[in-house]
Amino acid sequence: MKDISMNYLAGESKNVEYKVALPDRSVKYVKTAVAFANGEGGRIVFGVEDQTLNVVGVPDDQVFTIMDAISNAIADSCEPLIIPDISMRDIDGKTVIVAEILPGAQRPYYIKSMGRDQGTFVRVAGTTRQADAATIKELMFEGSNRSFDQTLCLELEATDEDVAKLCSTMTEVAKANAKHDAGSIKPVTAKQLLSWGVLIERDGELKPTNAYAILSGVNDPVRSVVQCGVFKGSTKAVFVDRREFTGTPWELIEQAYQYVLRNIHMGARFEGVYRQDVYEIPPDAIRELIVNAVVHRSYIDHSSIQIAIYDDRLEITSPGRLPMGQTIARMKEGYSKIRNEALAAAFSYMRLIEHWGSGIPRIIEEVREAGLREPEFLGGDTDLRINIYRQLDASHSVVETSNNTVAANEEAALERQSAGSVPDQCRISAGSVPDVGNLTQGQSIVYRYVRKHGQITSADVEDLLNVQNRQARKVLSELVDAGILQRRGSARYTRYVISGSGAQEV
């Protein structure tokens, strides 16, 4: 009896709702039945007060009449048909009725008399709410077992030249992201895009899908935007900086990733005279979260991915409810549920993602190893929000420094080395700190930027030095020729890192 009480009286939640008595209007609980069928399922318990969890019970002489009324009301009112599992339970000597609703496969479920647009309901934060148009559309794709990104994009045309350009660009991205086997990357072809669902065949012609629009960076008709901001304090009341990025998925990922790195603290870990730059949040975890947001978000929902940097945390919000069958608990355990199948295949080819299901567990582990509290996963009903808190564990020997202090420490080490005050066996290796004693002012600015952010592009140099692209490339070439920077990637994906530093590919 005690176990039963604990199972059925744990409080209202995403999957449980209480009714003290059978409502006079059946729609009051039929809405919840619809919401459970459109979600993860759940149970409605009759005979329990929802606020106090006080067991009132139902009259013994009316139990079977009430059970029939509940079953008939749900079955007769809903489209497609919902058949609840009705049972009775004895709790503390009183009888309660439990209507169990399983997750439905023929979504969306709705109340027939209200119509699909007005009668579709979902569970949000333990309450039953009317679904908006984007959620209904998402439910329709789930019910038809189709992927939105593999659906024909009627508003877009793709010429043979456009397709060839996309194939070439994706091949370049894949090679740039390949760490040691770029030579083994096979060029993308239109046939490959067709097999992934990026293209679809209609009347003997190849037509673009929504995935094609997303990969091409076309922001209309499919919206693909990342909004980034830095805020003072722990709320959005006072903002310090805001940026909005558009473009191809790999451009969004890189721009958002660099934005976060520019706006979080960098510290230092010293081993003897050797200094290692350390971001307060592991960069790999940041990038993985951004990649996951871009590939797994709902593109039916026209909201933007939001990345907010507060004094105490990094917050990444991805639009759209979790896909059918996915939960936060299962996600943290490594269970992968792919929403956008065409994008997932393209991301895998371009080395933007690795093994399915490994991302979230790897992020959790990296954050723990950095001495931070475990990431916080919130929502899942209308969007998914992930928080990484910025406080450092005091047991880690990381010294947070301002950019000026980092530069001063580095310059002092170089001065001691050049003056001969440091023994040969303790000198900073060229791999750790290259010889930067004879740099011009512009070269020094570029070098300091790379030391802080890990990499730089010619566009970054243009902004830093307020010069034209030709002069920016000249400065970078001089640093490469001097053995200070190393070039990685090709064409528009070219970036520069510290030479010999073992900087990680990003």
Side-chain angles (χ1 to χ4, degrees):
M1 193 71 63
K2 185 176 181 180
D3 291 338
I4 292 177
S5 298
M6 292 184 66
N7 288 337
Y8 288 92
L9 300 180
E12 284 198 337
S13 66
K14 185 176 181 179
N15 307 102
V16 179
E17 183 158 301
Y18 301 106
K19 301 291 182 185
V20 67
L22 185 67
D24 54 350
R25 297 176 61 232
S26 62
V27 70
K28 293 182 179 180
Y29 59 87
V30 172
K31 288 180 179 180
T32 301
V34 165
F36 284 153
N38 282 326
E40 300 172 20
R43 60 173 70 103
I44 309 171
V45 183
F46 297 86
V48 178
E49 292 181 343
D50 61 345
Q51 298 295 326
T52 65
L53 299 185
N54 180 43
V55 180
V56 177
V58 298
D60 290 339
D61 60 346
Q62 298 180 27
V63 170
F64 294 105
T65 301
I66 293 174
M67 290 174 67
D68 287 342
I70 295 170
S71 180
N72 291 335
I74 295 175
D76 293 344
S77 302
C78 301
E79 182 76 30
L81 178 66
I82 297 176
I83 302 179
D85 181 10
I86 311 293
S87 61
M88 54 184 170
R89 296 285 187 272
D90 187 297
I91 300 179
D92 297 335
K94 298 177 181 178
T95 302
V96 300
I97 296 173
V98 180
E100 188 91 23
I101 311 296
L102 296 177
Q106 296 177 284
R107 306 178 179 193
Y109 292 86
Y110 58 93
I111 298 175
K112 287 188 287 187
S113 62
M114 300 176 68
R116 188 178 65 189
D117 292 345
Q118 302 298 321
T120 301
F121 296 87
V122 293
R123 293 289 281 183
V124 178
T127 62
T128 297
R129 298 184 186 178
Q130 189 176 58
D132 59 18
T135 300
I136 293 173
K137 194 171 182 180
E138 189 83 49
L139 290 168
M140 291 173 64
F141 276 97
E142 289 179 354
S144 61
N145 199 27
R146 293 183 298 146
S147 174
F148 171 75
D149 68 330
Q150 293 179 323
T151 303
L152 179 66
C153 185
L154 296 174
E155 300 90 339
L156 191 65
E157 292 291 335
T159 65
D160 291 343
E161 183 180 355
D162 293 334
V163 172
K165 182 178 179 181
L166 177 60
C167 290
S168 176
T169 302
M170 291 176 62
T171 303
E172 289 179 9
V173 174
K175 289 182 177 180
N177 288 328
K179 295 179 180 179
H180 305 295
D181 58 347
S184 65
I185 300 294
K186 295 181 179 179
V188 178
T189 63
K191 184 177 181 180
Q192 185 69 69
L193 296 182
L194 181 63
S195 70
W196 290 340
V198 177
L199 295 174
I200 192 170
E201 189 171 358
R202 286 288 185 272
D203 300 325
E205 296 183 0
L206 294 181
K207 300 289 185 179
T209 63
N210 292 319
Y212 181 95
I214 296 166
L215 291 169
S216 299
V218 178
N219 202 31
D220 185 28
V222 184
R223 179 174 170 82
S224 182
V225 175
V226 177
Q227 295 176 331
C228 296
V230 178
F231 300 89
K232 184 177 181 180
S234 58
T235 70
K236 291 184 177 178
V238 180
F239 76 89
V240 178
D241 181 68
R242 290 180 182 173
R243 293 288 301 275
E244 183 173 289
F245 300 113
T246 59
T248 62
W250 46 91
E251 290 172 337
L252 292 178
I253 292 167
E254 189 63 25
Q255 290 168 333
Y257 173 70
Q258 292 299 332
Y259 183 90
V260 175
L261 293 187
R262 287 195 298 270
N263 288 285
I264 62 174
H265 298 147
M266 177 185 284
R269 181 179 290 116
F270 290 92
E271 297 180 5
V273 297
Y274 297 95
R275 174 184 177 281
Q276 179 183 0
D277 292 335
V278 180
Y279 284 102
E280 59 175 315
I281 300 174
D284 285 350
I286 296 170
R287 190 171 191 276
E288 187 88 39
L289 283 174
I290 296 172
V291 170
N292 281 350
V294 173
V295 72
H296 292 306
R297 64 156 291 176
S298 169
Y299 285 93
I300 294 175
D301 190 326
H302 285 182
S303 302
S304 303
I305 294 171
Q306 294 187 338
I307 300 177
I309 302 172
Y310 301 95
D311 289 349
D312 64 336
R313 70 191 186 279
L314 167 67
E315 179 184 274
I316 299 179
T317 304
S318 180
R321 47 188 262 140
L322 291 176
M324 184 170 62
Q326 180 67 294
T327 65
I328 288 177
R330 298 182 77 183
M331 183 172 60
K332 292 168 69 175
E333 293 172 357
Y335 175 80
S336 180
K337 182 72 174 180
I338 299 173
R339 185 201 306 272
N340 303 305
E341 296 182 6
L343 286 184
F347 272 50
S348 180
Y349 165 80
M350 291 185 290
R351 310 298 178 91
L352 292 170
I353 51 178
E354 296 183 15
H355 302 294
W356 293 114
S358 65
I360 297 301
R362 187 166 58 248
I363 290 168
I364 294 172
E365 185 61 28
E366 288 173 351
V367 171
R368 284 175 178 168
E369 289 180 354
L372 304 175
R373 58 183 279 193
E374 182 173 312
E376 184 178 42
F377 296 78
L378 302 171
D381 300 320
T382 56
D383 55 32
L384 177 65
R385 180 167 300 171
I386 302 176
N387 290 324
I388 297 183
Y389 286 87
R390 302 175 64 179
Q391 292 89 343
L392 284 170
D393 188 330
S395 65
H396 277 60
S397 58
V398 177
V399 182
E400 286 194 18
T401 59
S402 68
N403 293 340
N404 291 335
T405 304
V406 170
N409 288 344
E410 186 175 283
E411 288 170 357
L414 289 172
E415 288 173 1
R416 290 195 302 271
Q417 178 171 312
S418 61
S421 59
V422 180
D424 289 343
Q425 63 270 29
C426 297
R427 292 193 177 192
I428 300 174
S429 67
S432 298
V433 181
D435 182 6
V436 294
N438 297 318
L439 295 185
T440 65
Q441 182 179 2
Q443 291 170 342
S444 296
I445 292 173
V446 171
Y447 171 69
R448 300 300 180 199
Y449 182 96
V450 183
R451 291 290 294 177
K452 177 184 178 183
H453 299 291
Q455 66 177 28
I456 197 168
T457 66
S458 60
D460 294 328
V461 177
E462 292 176 39
D463 293 338
L464 278 174
L465 304 183
N466 192 25
V467 296
Q468 298 297 318
N469 180 261
R470 181 176 179 181
Q471 181 61 28
R473 288 188 284 110
K474 182 176 182 293
V475 172
L476 290 168
S477 296
E478 290 169 349
L479 290 171
V480 170
D481 292 341
I484 294 172
L485 296 186
Q486 176 182 347
R487 176 173 173 163
R488 292 190 176 174
S490 61
R492 60 191 296 190
Y493 308 104
T494 300
R495 69 262 197 214
Y496 299 83
V497 300
I498 299 297
S499 181
S501 63
Q504 187 177 7
E505 289 276 3
V506 292

